[in-house]
Amino acid sequence: MNPTTLDMFANLEPEQHPRREQMGKQSYVLRGFALPWLDRLLPELEAVLKAAPFRQMVTPGGFTMSAAMSSCGTWGWTTDRSGYRYTRQDPLSGEPWPDMPEVFFQLAQAAAREAGFEAFVPDSCLINRYVPGAKMSLHQDKDETSYEAPIVSVSLGLPAMFLFGGFERSDKCQRVPLLHGDIVVWGGVDRLRYHGVLPIKEGQHPRLGEQRINFTFRTAR
Ligand code: SIN
Ligand code: FE2
């Protein structure tokens, strides 16, 4: 029930894609999947961040999150003292979140399809920035109105140790190293699995410098 290594899934299904690692029944790591898209992604990312810069948000409990965040798409995920929610406007500017660049949408859809989820239509892309030491505590993604759509999570820059758990916070986690260009997709029966990121280690990424950037694509509404 709570597999601790990727190997335990090795004979659930014949591995068809050498760069596709199965973590659960409906969850995969797609190694290097974003790499061929990078030259198109990075200029769009820069434009999004010009309109909606990274900022550190506060949890309802009053803690400042170590990852800085921005968003694009119709809905942006935010948190402050009054709770977690999706908003149409960037609370910092009062303006709508920047549109989701077409290439972001296309990448998310292609990755979802590779993991067995046809016709993924993300309306939200959360952009997380981790500097060394920043982390993401174990949580479930459950601020969306439906859990039918999968989560598509793109890793860029410095490596991270991703924790992929079960349906209870206390369940054992798989530890999945994520490198620049890797994409994690989870949905269906795995949609509400706990997950998180251990503190990012010091380092310099040749393309992105001293940071890790993560895109989390979701269907919020
Ligand atoms: C998240 O779950 O919000 C982020 C996961 C990641 O940074 O890989
Ligand atoms: Fe998450």
Side-chain angles (χ1 to χ4, degrees):
M1 206 56 202
N2 294 311
T4 51
T5 68
L6 294 173
D7 285 343
M8 291 180 71
F9 289 107
N11 31 9
L12 275 185
E13 187 184 290
E15 194 59 65
Q16 306 199 313
H17 193 301
R19 307 271 286 161
R20 192 176 86 168
E21 298 170 10
Q22 193 160 12
M23 302 188 302
K25 268 202 168 73
Q26 291 185 279
S27 39
Y28 296 89
V29 185
L30 310 174
R31 295 293 179 195
F33 195 90
L35 293 177
W37 299 69
L38 270 186
D39 289 346
R40 283 174 291 156
L41 289 175
L42 294 181
E44 297 286 2
L45 172 62
E46 205 174 310
V48 165
L49 293 174
K50 207 167 268 176
F54 282 124
R55 79 293 307 265
Q56 280 177 282
M57 297 183 194
V58 176
T59 66
F63 294 101
T64 300
M65 298 184 77
S66 58
M69 297 178 177
S70 181
S71 276
C72 61
T74 306
W75 297 99
W77 186 86
T78 62
T79 175
D80 59 19
R81 287 307 296 247
S82 59
Y84 302 126
R85 63 192 171 280
Y86 283 96
T87 63
R88 279 186 181 275
Q89 275 90 29
D90 176 351
L92 210 56
S93 65
E95 296 294 319
W97 292 104
D99 289 338
M100 189 185 299
E102 182 64 18
V103 62
F104 280 37
F105 184 91
Q106 295 297 337
L107 171 62
Q109 203 164 62
R113 185 170 304 116
E114 189 72 14
F117 300 97
E118 294 299 327
F120 177 44
V121 183
D123 58 11
S124 175
C125 174
L126 173 67
I127 307 167
N128 290 313
R129 174 180 193 252
Y130 301 78
V131 293
K135 66 179 173 78
M136 185 70 65
S137 304
L138 273 185
H139 65 279
Q140 295 168 295
D141 286 8
K142 51 178 193 183
D143 299 317
E144 300 70 36
T145 45
S146 155
Y147 304 139
E148 214 143 285
I151 311 281
V152 171
S153 176
V154 179
S155 291
L156 301 175
L158 288 179
M161 187 60 82
F162 184 66
L163 302 176
F164 193 63
F167 300 100
E168 306 283 345
R169 188 183 298 278
S170 58
D171 287 347
K172 229 177 207 162
C173 291
Q174 299 176 56
R175 295 162 70 101
V176 184
L178 295 180
L179 301 178
H180 180 63
D182 291 347
I183 301 188
V184 182
V185 182
W186 66 98
V189 298
D190 290 326
R191 174 63 176 73
L192 287 174
R193 302 241 318 215
Y194 274 87
H195 57 281
V197 176
L198 292 182
I200 300 298
K201 296 203 171 121
E202 297 283 342
Q204 281 288 336
H205 187 270
R207 189 100 187 243
L208 285 164
E210 197 181 30
Q211 60 178 343
R212 170 176 185 261
I213 305 271
N214 168 264
F215 300 154
T216 304
F217 292 96
R218 293 181 283 218
T219 304
R221 297 287 157 91

